[in-house]
Amino acid sequence: MTTQPCDDLLTIRDWLRYACTRFASHDLCYGHGTDNVWDEAVFLVLRSLALPLDDNAVFLDARLTREERQRLAERIDRRVHDRVPVPYLIGEAWFMGIPFHVDERVLIPRSPLGELLANGLQPWVGGRSVERILDLCTGSGCIGIGAALVFDEAQVDLTDVSEDALGIARENIVLHGVEDRVHAIQSDVFEGVTGRYDVILANPPYVDAEDMADIPAEFRHEPSLGLAAGDDGLDVVRRILTEAADHLTPGGVLIGEVGNSEVALEAAFPMLPLTWIELEQGGHGVFLLQEEDLRQFVNHSK
């Protein structure tokens, strides 16, 4: 890396322009919180400087210190040459409009389950009381913590097989001040949990072998444990479907995400009454199952 950008680019506006130019001249893949060059540049530059993403025009012509300019030059270079996603470069990702700590121990939050949570899981839970929630394969904890903030009287368990991931989830529990209601548990699917839940939210690994072989370089910085799920992408989903009924209250619901493995799931379980949820903010492959339907499915499978 040359020192030229640090010498010539003095203001935030300069650095936003420079980042856009660098990003546009390389074949980058977006999808870790942004979907275009400008938003990617804004996210990297402003959050590297601990500035707000909105209402920031007052800062655009502020001059930066040499240390700040060197930090930006290094991070832009790493984004371009090493294809490191911006959330890993700054240690922060946003989900449901709130920040979460992230690093390469966890997937970068981007689940469309956030849209459902923002709507209080309506109409899916109706008027039922939601007292216990389980977030399976939690990673950073963003889904379960988001659920705790929406259902502000519910107890929420976050589970993951990875202790590394749970370390980040615990940081985020503290960040959002929900230590009294949200608990991180090491568990391989349901092995470490007890009792029943009104809602189970599952964002398990679901990338099939073909897609894993073709994923862009940016996604290879994420832990493969959180992505790869066998030849058809359903290795973990199968376990969830066969065990979930025993962990749901009567009338409880399982809401899960399988992304591109939606077709494989329908083909593997043609008799399962899956409700595929339409999403207004993008994304696909989110399904819902009622406790009764899951129980009947398990009984018929025996």
Side-chain angles (χ1 to χ4, degrees):
M1 181 184 69
T2 69
T3 59
Q4 192 66 30
C6 294
D7 294 335
D8 294 342
L9 306 174
L10 302 179
T11 69
I12 291 173
R13 192 186 301 272
D14 292 339
W15 282 94
L16 287 171
R17 197 282 307 158
Y18 174 72
C20 284
T21 300
R22 292 289 305 280
F23 295 165
S25 63
H26 292 77
D27 187 22
L28 303 184
C29 175
Y30 305 102
H32 289 104
T34 71
D35 61 6
N36 61 80
V37 167
W38 171 250
D39 288 342
E40 188 89 343
V42 168
F43 189 25
L44 187 151
V45 173
L46 293 180
R47 295 310 294 158
S48 290
L49 301 170
L51 294 175
L53 293 171
D54 298 319
D55 299 324
N56 50 48
V58 67
F59 299 110
L60 293 182
D61 293 313
R63 293 165 65 97
L64 303 182
T65 67
R66 172 161 285 275
E67 180 183 355
E68 289 171 331
R69 285 179 275 151
Q70 288 174 335
R71 183 190 314 147
L72 289 176
E74 177 186 351
R75 290 179 178 179
I76 291 169
D77 266 12
R78 292 190 66 202
R79 180 67 187 94
V80 168
H81 294 301
D82 301 332
R83 296 296 200 270
V84 180
V86 172
Y88 287 154
L89 293 172
I90 64 177
E92 174 188 273
W94 288 68
F95 182 76
M96 294 179 62
I98 53 179
F100 288 87
H101 296 312
V102 295
D103 63 24
E104 294 190 11
R105 290 175 286 175
V106 297
L107 298 186
I108 295 167
R110 53 185 177 272
S111 173
L113 295 182
E115 177 183 326
L116 305 185
L117 286 170
N119 293 325
L121 299 181
Q122 294 296 338
W124 314 110
V125 299
R128 296 183 72 249
S129 174
V130 177
E131 298 178 1
R132 294 192 77 208
I133 300 171
L134 175 62
D135 174 14
L136 282 176
C137 309
T138 191
S140 66
C142 63
I143 292 173
I145 293 169
L149 296 175
V150 172
F151 298 95
D152 56 11
E153 295 185 358
Q155 295 288 320
V156 182
D157 289 338
L158 316 179
T159 68
D160 205 290
V161 70
S162 167
E163 266 295 348
D164 284 343
L166 290 174
I168 292 291
R170 292 186 180 104
E171 289 183 18
N172 285 318
I173 290 172
V174 173
L175 175 66
H176 292 289
V178 290
E179 302 97 314
D180 59 330
R181 295 188 296 113
V182 181
H183 309 282
I185 303 167
Q186 185 176 29
S187 177
D188 186 358
V189 189
F190 293 105
E191 288 181 359
V193 301
T194 58
R196 295 178 182 271
Y197 299 87
D198 303 298
V199 176
I200 297 176
L201 302 168
N203 182 18
Y206 57 72
V207 182
D208 64 31
E210 182 178 354
D211 282 350
M212 278 299 297
D214 294 334
I215 59 172
E218 282 84 350
F219 292 87
R220 297 193 181 279
H221 289 275
E222 297 187 288
S224 60
L225 183 64
L227 294 170
D231 288 343
D232 62 0
L234 301 179
D235 282 4
V236 181
V237 175
R238 285 187 174 86
R239 293 183 57 192
I240 293 171
L241 294 176
T242 56
E243 300 172 28
D246 290 336
H247 297 276
L248 280 169
T249 58
V253 295
L254 165 67
I255 301 176
E257 178 183 347
V258 293
N260 289 342
S261 294
E262 174 180 340
V263 174
L265 180 58
E266 287 199 312
F269 301 102
M271 301 303 293
L272 195 59
L274 295 158
T275 296
W276 294 102
I277 300 175
E278 294 186 9
L279 300 159
E280 295 181 358
Q281 298 174 14
H284 62 281
V286 174
F287 67 85
L288 178 141
L289 285 162
Q290 301 283 345
E291 176 267 342
E292 180 181 359
D293 292 330
L294 280 162
R295 195 166 300 283
Q296 290 179 358
F297 162 71
V298 172
N299 290 337
H300 291 158
S301 300
K302 290 181 179 178

